[in-house]
Amino acid sequence: GTKKYPKENEYNSYLSAHGGYSNAYTDLEDTCYYFEVTYDALEGALDRFSQFFIDPLFAADCTDREVSAVDSEHKKNIQSDMWRQYQIEKQLSNPEHPFSLFATGNYDTLSGAAKELGVDLRDRLLEFYDKYYSANIMKLVVVGRDSLDQLTEWTVSKFSPIMSKGMTKPAFKAHPLTEKEVGKLIRIQSIREQRSLDITFSLPDIKPFYKSKPGRYLGSLIGHEGKGSILSYLKKRGWATSIIAGRSTTSAEGFDMFKITASLTDTGMQKYQEVIRIIFAFIQLLLNKGPQKWFQDELRRVSEIEYQFMEKNDSVNMASTLASTMQNKYLPPDCVLPDCLLLTEFNEELLEWIQGFLNPQNFRILLAARDLDVEFDQEEKYYGVKYRVDPIPAELMRELLGELECDELYLPEPNCFIPDNLKVKSKVAAAEPADAPVLLKLTSGLELWFKQDDRFLLPRGNIQVTIETPRAYESALNSIFSQLF
């Protein structure tokens, strides 16, 4: 509770009574609190919400219940391969960097540790709140149907009392992946039946380069799925089913990482070294060809189209996403909204510099599978993950440092389907838009329907094909085949 609303759970009770809810998450650097409520209850919700940052009570019994909630959340995640792998990545990073610490928390690291140290957990909680909950490092987003003047009035009146303590947001000067952490082959035992290969490169902080987004450029080329791509090569041999590349979501201010993740088949796992050779052969191709302005121009054009015709987002997602985006100190206010989409600049020198970090002396490998043929010799503390760490095989490293050529790998061809002209033929919406589609063709085996966009006049089309066959569910095998198709 708070001094103004001391009743415990008053905030959530109010939201529930008005068709809403609240939630929160803590990332590497930020904690984001957010809520959703019916439009006519927004002012009351804002008033209750703001009080948590003005005059919270931090009742002792509430602290204990929150510890239990954190512990329950951790126990729920123990069988999650995502959390298990994430903790291994953190544990095996630079021990002098805070990134290496436990990602979440449990009873032992909170109440248990407080008892061992002879400190009061609530006192530590208050210390943390007093130090970091400062208006000058907070960001607030309010989304509502009321006028901007009304939203502004509510926001200023209710949130202005939050104290600014002149706090400076902590910065990470070192990097989680130093020369001691790269050059490693990490193998872990997963819970699910999966086979994945992760290649992680250490990068400098690339958030200042929001105009050119080098992570998106490299991720789009390396993760390309068409002819000449890494995935095309691997699929042809039955070694992989997917590949994803880009700036790691575990990056924070002061450091970045670039990650390539491939979902491997059983054969692909056996051939993992060859998969890595092919990935580096493509990276060498990128380095030799140099930054491609035409490809960046394509990404820019697609980002402009997506932004221009962006569909209305869910309000609570918009609020929480923008609040997090605003924490990027390099973004000017007019770039906050389009930052997730727009790419506006081609910087050849920058791209060459960032590409240079994708080299064999600056990466580590993580293999995850339930049935890895290896003797695990270590077990992680919080999730019980069995794992093993070895140097990257010397022969593989020698090959990666040499010239890697593959005639089947080449840059993607220009995308001829990116439109230049997005004008619609009809510029006047219908007085009475049609409610139903029109049947254009009807035969014994085909129905063709069409619905004109005569309301919004957007240059967007949607084709949906439905195949009806009684054989799809004649057997369990047919059902699986139908889903695969």
Side-chain angles (χ1 to χ4, degrees):
T2 62
K3 186 175 181 179
K4 184 174 182 179
Y5 299 100
K7 183 179 177 181
E8 186 178 340
N9 211 34
E10 160 68 23
Y11 169 62
N12 284 319
S13 296
Y14 179 87
L15 296 179
S16 297
H18 295 87
Y21 71 94
S22 69
N23 209 337
Y25 68 85
T26 296
D27 212 334
L28 288 178
E29 300 177 277
D30 313 311
T31 295
C32 182
Y33 303 92
Y34 58 92
F35 70 83
E36 185 174 53
V37 73
T38 54
Y39 77 93
D40 56 338
L42 178 58
E43 182 183 9
L46 288 173
D47 193 45
R48 287 162 175 78
F49 182 66
S50 64
Q51 292 302 311
F52 288 115
F53 311 103
I54 298 171
D55 209 351
L57 295 179
F58 289 114
D61 55 342
C62 291
T63 303
D64 294 336
R65 281 195 292 275
E66 282 304 311
V67 170
S68 297
V70 171
D71 189 65
S72 296
E73 184 78 10
H74 168 67
K75 289 177 179 176
K76 176 181 70 68
N77 293 334
I78 287 178
Q79 298 299 307
S80 166
D81 283 318
M82 185 275 288
W83 282 106
R84 293 163 68 88
Q85 179 171 323
Y86 180 41
Q87 184 56 37
I88 289 292
E89 292 176 355
K90 289 171 68 66
Q91 179 170 308
L92 298 179
S93 62
N94 179 6
E96 297 181 1
H97 195 285
F99 180 80
S100 64
L101 300 175
F102 184 24
T104 54
N106 60 19
Y107 181 85
D108 292 335
T109 61
L110 295 170
S111 293
K115 290 178 181 178
E116 288 184 9
L117 295 172
V119 299
D120 186 281
L121 184 61
R122 180 175 178 273
D123 288 344
R124 288 295 179 91
L125 180 65
L126 291 172
E127 289 175 14
F128 185 90
Y129 174 85
D130 290 337
K131 182 177 182 180
Y132 290 109
Y133 277 56
S134 175
N136 68 296
I137 58 172
M138 291 181 179
K139 306 298 178 184
L140 175 66
V141 176
V142 178
V143 180
R145 61 184 289 181
D146 298 277
S147 68
L148 287 177
D149 289 341
Q150 180 64 80
L151 294 175
T152 301
E153 179 187 333
W154 288 341
T155 301
V156 172
S157 64
K158 299 180 188 308
F159 291 90
S160 291
I162 299 176
M163 290 182 59
S164 178
K165 304 162 188 174
M167 178 63 193
T168 301
K169 186 177 178 180
F172 306 110
K173 296 181 179 179
H175 200 290
L177 297 183
T178 69
E179 59 182 12
K180 295 180 180 180
E181 286 74 44
V182 297
K184 305 295 184 184
L185 169 60
I186 305 165
R187 284 172 281 197
I188 69 173
Q189 186 176 49
S190 64
I191 298 295
R192 294 189 300 112
E193 184 69 40
Q194 66 170 40
R195 299 173 186 85
S196 65
L197 162 69
D198 274 33
I199 293 177
T200 304
F201 296 91
S202 168
L203 290 184
D205 190 352
I206 61 175
K207 283 188 292 298
F209 314 118
Y210 61 90
K211 292 182 179 180
S212 54
K213 293 182 170 53
R216 184 185 299 183
Y217 170 85
L218 291 171
S220 298
L221 282 170
I222 295 173
H224 184 63
E225 300 181 359
K227 294 180 180 179
S229 67
I230 297 171
L231 184 60
S232 176
Y233 182 98
L234 299 178
K235 274 190 171 183
K236 185 177 179 180
R237 288 156 179 79
W239 294 352
T241 57
S242 68
I243 187 168
I244 301 173
R247 176 175 174 259
S248 174
T249 56
T250 56
S251 300
E253 188 167 321
F255 71 90
D256 263 293
M257 302 181 201
F258 187 88
K259 181 175 286 189
I260 303 170
T261 300
S263 296
L264 304 180
T265 62
D266 186 31
T267 304
M269 182 61 77
Q270 297 173 28
K271 299 275 190 179
Y272 82 90
Q273 293 193 29
E274 185 60 31
V275 174
I276 293 172
R277 291 188 191 95
I278 291 303
I279 291 173
F280 272 91
F282 193 85
I283 291 174
Q284 283 191 13
L285 174 67
L286 294 182
L287 295 174
N288 292 334
K289 294 286 187 181
Q292 304 293 304
K293 185 176 185 303
W294 68 268
F295 189 79
Q296 184 82 328
D297 287 341
E298 285 192 351
L299 295 179
R300 176 188 54 77
R301 179 57 179 156
V302 170
S303 74
E304 290 172 349
I305 294 171
E306 289 178 344
Y307 183 66
Q308 182 180 356
F309 299 102
M310 179 173 56
E311 294 185 357
K312 188 176 181 179
N313 197 1
D314 181 75
S315 58
V316 70
N317 288 333
M318 175 181 285
S320 59
T321 299
L322 289 179
S324 177
T325 301
M326 289 166 66
Q327 287 290 359
N328 182 353
K329 65 182 182 181
Y330 302 103
L331 275 178
D334 60 338
C335 291
V336 170
L337 189 60
D339 177 64
C340 62
L341 291 175
L342 279 185
L343 184 156
T344 60
E345 182 179 271
F346 174 73
N347 188 328
E348 185 173 2
E349 291 183 0
L350 171 65
L351 292 175
E352 284 184 345
W353 179 55
I354 297 299
Q355 284 182 171
F357 288 94
L358 307 188
N359 69 74
Q361 296 176 315
N362 188 44
F363 85 110
R364 69 181 182 184
I365 305 166
L366 190 147
L367 292 172
R370 194 169 69 177
D371 53 357
L372 276 176
D373 185 18
V374 63
E375 183 178 343
F376 299 104
D377 56 4
Q378 299 185 68
E379 185 171 315
E380 188 274 331
K381 178 179 179 180
Y382 300 107
Y383 293 87
V385 186
K386 294 180 180 180
Y387 69 98
R388 181 184 181 93
V389 182
D390 296 291
I392 294 175
E395 179 60 30
L396 173 61
M397 186 61 78
R398 279 194 295 270
E399 291 187 41
L400 299 183
L401 289 169
E403 292 294 325
L404 297 169
E405 295 183 0
C406 179
D407 293 338
E408 295 184 44
L409 297 177
Y410 48 87
L411 296 180
E413 298 177 355
N415 188 348
C416 63
F417 296 104
I418 299 177
D420 293 320
N421 184 359
L422 291 169
K423 294 181 179 179
V424 293
K425 292 184 177 181
S426 175
K427 297 182 179 180
V428 181
E432 294 185 9
D435 294 327
V438 177
L439 180 61
L440 298 182
K441 189 173 183 178
L442 176 63
T443 69
S444 60
L446 171 69
E447 287 185 20
L448 178 61
W449 295 83
F450 174 72
K451 172 68 173 67
Q452 177 71 45
D453 175 13
D454 51 5
R455 183 188 301 268
F456 302 106
L457 305 179
L458 295 176
R460 178 183 289 122
N462 179 41
I463 298 176
Q464 180 174 326
V465 178
T466 303
I467 301 175
E468 297 182 358
T469 170
R471 295 187 178 182
Y473 297 100
E474 282 182 341
S475 66
L477 183 61
N478 281 8
S479 176
I480 295 297
F481 283 158
S482 299
Q483 293 179 44
L484 290 174
F485 176 78

